[in-house]
Amino acid sequence: MKRIILLFAVFISGALFAQQTFVNVAPQLGIGGQTGLGHAIGWGDIDGDDDPDLGFSNQEGDGFWFYKNNITGFDNITTSAGLGGLGGNKIIIAEVTGDEYNDLLLRTRSATQYLFESNGDGTFNNITATAGIANAAVYNIADFDNDGLTDLLDIAGSNIAIRYNNGDKTFSSAQVVAPLPDFMGIAVLDYNNDRLPDIYYTTYGDNPNALLKNNGDGTFTDVTTQAGVSYPYAAHGIDVGDYNNDGFVDIYLGSYSSASCKLFQNNGDGTFSDVTTQSGTSGQNDTRTVTFVDYNNDGLPDIFSSHHDFYSYSNTMLKNNGDGTFTDVAPSLGISGEWIGDYFGVGWADYDLDGSMDLFAAGHIDKYNLYKNTNCPGNYLEVDLKGVWSNPNGIGAKSEVWVNGQKISRFMLPDGGQHDGSMLRLHFGLDTTTVVDSLITYWPSGVVNKFYNIAANQLITIHEDEQTTVADSKAVVLKIYPNPAGDFINISMISPVNSNTRVAIYTVDGKMIKTSTNFSEVSKLFVGNIPNGVCVVRITSGNLLATRKIVIHH
């Protein structure tokens, strides 16, 4: 027994001191043979097996490829999946059609928008025409009206617009929310923690970037100046994340025309501070992509950037030192150097489910690389969120891991870069921690999930209706099912119900078609006399209000 323990100790000692590096494993895993210059990428699980699948494209516009992940390798299913003959400028993998499988939103280089509904078996249905978005230009997603459905952020010519999800696999016409001087990247974030997705966009030229506050009534207000996030230069890279684990989303901008990138620290009061100089995050100019990622599992989000000057500094990995400063460690990780970099699209995912974040990069020098994160130190916890009252992927949710009184904070948010697409999954580096004291998730609906004593080094799935409480007294949390509905709908409500609680159903143009004050915490309502189509269910309880879209289909 002593000999076994000794050998085990030697093995562990060797593992602890092994050099962490990123190794390109694309060829050996079956990814290869692509032509043209690398452009956009997107990670996501399209068949419900927990393994991140992969789409990517070339800049020439005549190449888009989709690979199914089998852990030990990838299978090119582009043709068999019904995705052949396309290009790609933006790739988003998320659930937007009301089932259990993530769908594919593909914006092509030829300015055509597609929505492919996943069948869960590695094939897709092209529902673009019936969804009503063929003329859209989708570059991000979020549930902007908190009705539990994922909406589309559309670049509609010289405007930013939202196409609201109707809940029946169709989307509304573009609703303009702000003019757009020119466009490069666009991020969604809840900068003031009011559970409403806000918007920050960057520009291609030297027009100012802007932060747009969601007012909760379908309108947005430009709060750039008062929030302190002005940047009057081109920023080709943008990402948001909580780099200091204080529970508020910070912003990082990748410079194109200025001499400096920018790190804006969220002060938690609706304002930001420029901490670029003191944090050592000024980076380089001519930046292509930026992303927050905890590459070494120490619980601190780091910043990866790729630059056009691949001879000089190529890529950078700014390691978060935990004291408000960062240090570039990219060369020691094997992801920076001559003839490495100039990536136009990047995305992070734990493709082999070993607890370390891996990188797929598509660019103009080394084209298409899957960098496996090897010898990654530290333990981890990975979390999939499944919305019930909130949107299916939990976009906009915040999860906090607590260990020995210390908090690690993560937000479920898509990448903001023009061609970037990481997987919608939360990754917590835990360093040496083996058991998490608590995991708390704050959903956009107002629901809070709490779990305790969770073992490290696993992937867990959290459903919004598990271990549920209400976040605050203003939350009216609804579950309406089935949706689509036949002759009856069931309404479950997590909120104080009083004698003034009332349910009403409206057409989408605001005409009331049914009302009832006979409401209990679980209510069954007859809708058999309502014509087929999209309706809005509105619940009022005192001064509280919540709405949900439903589809009537007899």
Side-chain angles (χ1 to χ4, degrees), residues 502 504-507 510-515:
R502 179 170 174 264
I505 302 179
Y506 297 81
T507 62
K511 179 183 177 182
M512 183 186 290
I513 52 180
K514 189 175 184 68
T515 182

mmCIF file of all heavy atoms in Angstrom, residues 502 504-507 510-515:
data_model
loop_
_atom_site.group_PDB
_atom_site.id
_atom_site.type_symbol
_atom_site.label_atom_id
_atom_site.label_comp_id
_atom_site.label_asym_id
_atom_site.label_seq_id
_atom_site.Cartn_x
_atom_site.Cartn_y
_atom_site.Cartn_z
ATOM 1 N N ARG A 502 -55.229 39.311 -11.398
ATOM 2 C CA ARG A 502 -56.085 39.245 -12.571
ATOM 3 C C ARG A 502 -55.285 38.760 -13.761
ATOM 4 O O ARG A 502 -54.115 39.092 -13.920
ATOM 5 C CB ARG A 502 -56.648 40.649 -12.854
ATOM 6 C CG ARG A 502 -57.559 40.780 -14.065
ATOM 7 C CD ARG A 502 -58.200 42.162 -14.027
ATOM 8 N NE ARG A 502 -58.979 42.459 -15.212
ATOM 9 C CZ ARG A 502 -58.513 43.138 -16.248
ATOM 10 N NH1 ARG A 502 -57.273 43.587 -16.236
ATOM 11 N NH2 ARG A 502 -59.285 43.376 -17.294
ATOM 12 N N ALA A 504 -55.412 38.427 -18.021
ATOM 13 C CA ALA A 504 -56.072 38.882 -19.243
ATOM 14 C C ALA A 504 -55.267 38.403 -20.440
ATOM 15 O O ALA A 504 -54.044 38.259 -20.379
ATOM 16 C CB ALA A 504 -56.208 40.401 -19.259
ATOM 17 N N ILE A 505 -55.966 38.169 -21.544
ATOM 18 C CA ILE A 505 -55.320 37.734 -22.785
ATOM 19 C C ILE A 505 -55.628 38.757 -23.865
ATOM 20 O O ILE A 505 -56.787 39.167 -24.043
ATOM 21 C CB ILE A 505 -55.795 36.329 -23.211
ATOM 22 C CG1 ILE A 505 -55.500 35.312 -22.102
ATOM 23 C CG2 ILE A 505 -55.124 35.907 -24.505
ATOM 24 C CD1 ILE A 505 -55.954 33.903 -22.423
ATOM 25 N N TYR A 506 -54.560 39.157 -24.589
ATOM 26 C CA TYR A 506 -54.677 40.168 -25.630
ATOM 27 C C TYR A 506 -54.165 39.610 -26.957
ATOM 28 O O TYR A 506 -53.325 38.708 -26.990
ATOM 29 C CB TYR A 506 -53.837 41.407 -25.284
ATOM 30 C CG TYR A 506 -54.259 42.137 -24.041
ATOM 31 C CD1 TYR A 506 -53.864 41.687 -22.778
ATOM 32 C CD2 TYR A 506 -55.032 43.296 -24.114
ATOM 33 C CE1 TYR A 506 -54.242 42.362 -21.630
ATOM 34 C CE2 TYR A 506 -55.411 43.972 -22.955
ATOM 35 C CZ TYR A 506 -55.011 43.503 -21.726
ATOM 36 O OH TYR A 506 -55.383 44.174 -20.596
ATOM 37 N N THR A 507 -54.648 40.195 -28.052
ATOM 38 C CA THR A 507 -54.016 39.967 -29.340
ATOM 39 C C THR A 507 -52.705 40.744 -29.356
ATOM 40 O O THR A 507 -52.480 41.618 -28.505
ATOM 41 C CB THR A 507 -54.912 40.447 -30.494
ATOM 42 O OG1 THR A 507 -55.106 41.864 -30.364
ATOM 43 C CG2 THR A 507 -56.271 39.740 -30.464
ATOM 44 N N GLY A 510 -52.941 44.453 -29.173
ATOM 45 C CA GLY A 510 -53.444 45.099 -27.976
ATOM 46 C C GLY A 510 -54.927 44.967 -27.700
ATOM 47 O O GLY A 510 -55.439 45.557 -26.748
ATOM 48 N N LYS A 511 -55.669 44.171 -28.448
ATOM 49 C CA LYS A 511 -57.105 43.998 -28.226
ATOM 50 C C LYS A 511 -57.339 42.911 -27.180
ATOM 51 O O LYS A 511 -56.886 41.781 -27.336
ATOM 52 C CB LYS A 511 -57.799 43.637 -29.536
ATOM 53 C CG LYS A 511 -59.303 43.417 -29.386
ATOM 54 C CD LYS A 511 -59.930 42.999 -30.705
ATOM 55 C CE LYS A 511 -61.417 42.719 -30.534
ATOM 56 N NZ LYS A 511 -62.029 42.267 -31.818
ATOM 57 N N MET A 512 -58.091 43.248 -26.101
ATOM 58 C CA MET A 512 -58.374 42.258 -25.079
ATOM 59 C C MET A 512 -59.402 41.254 -25.601
ATOM 60 O O MET A 512 -60.447 41.636 -26.130
ATOM 61 C CB MET A 512 -58.899 42.908 -23.802
ATOM 62 C CG MET A 512 -59.151 41.895 -22.677
ATOM 63 S SD MET A 512 -59.942 42.635 -21.226
ATOM 64 C CE MET A 512 -58.588 43.655 -20.613
ATOM 65 N N ILE A 513 -59.099 39.964 -25.430
ATOM 66 C CA ILE A 513 -60.017 38.937 -25.917
ATOM 67 C C ILE A 513 -60.501 38.015 -24.798
ATOM 68 O O ILE A 513 -61.422 37.230 -25.015
ATOM 69 C CB ILE A 513 -59.370 38.105 -27.043
ATOM 70 C CG1 ILE A 513 -58.006 37.570 -26.620
ATOM 71 C CG2 ILE A 513 -59.268 38.898 -28.314
ATOM 72 C CD1 ILE A 513 -57.306 36.741 -27.684
ATOM 73 N N LYS A 514 -59.899 38.105 -23.600
ATOM 74 C CA LYS A 514 -60.370 37.297 -22.484
ATOM 75 C C LYS A 514 -59.809 37.871 -21.194
ATOM 76 O O LYS A 514 -58.671 38.363 -21.159
ATOM 77 C CB LYS A 514 -59.929 35.832 -22.627
ATOM 78 C CG LYS A 514 -60.581 34.889 -21.602
ATOM 79 C CD LYS A 514 -60.202 33.448 -21.880
ATOM 80 C CE LYS A 514 -60.904 32.499 -20.941
ATOM 81 N NZ LYS A 514 -62.361 32.440 -21.177
ATOM 82 N N THR A 515 -60.629 37.802 -20.139
ATOM 83 C CA THR A 515 -60.155 38.248 -18.840
ATOM 84 C C THR A 515 -60.779 37.380 -17.756
ATOM 85 O O THR A 515 -61.860 36.816 -17.941
ATOM 86 C CB THR A 515 -60.512 39.728 -18.584
ATOM 87 O OG1 THR A 515 -59.971 40.124 -17.317
ATOM 88 C CG2 THR A 515 -62.020 39.938 -18.568
#
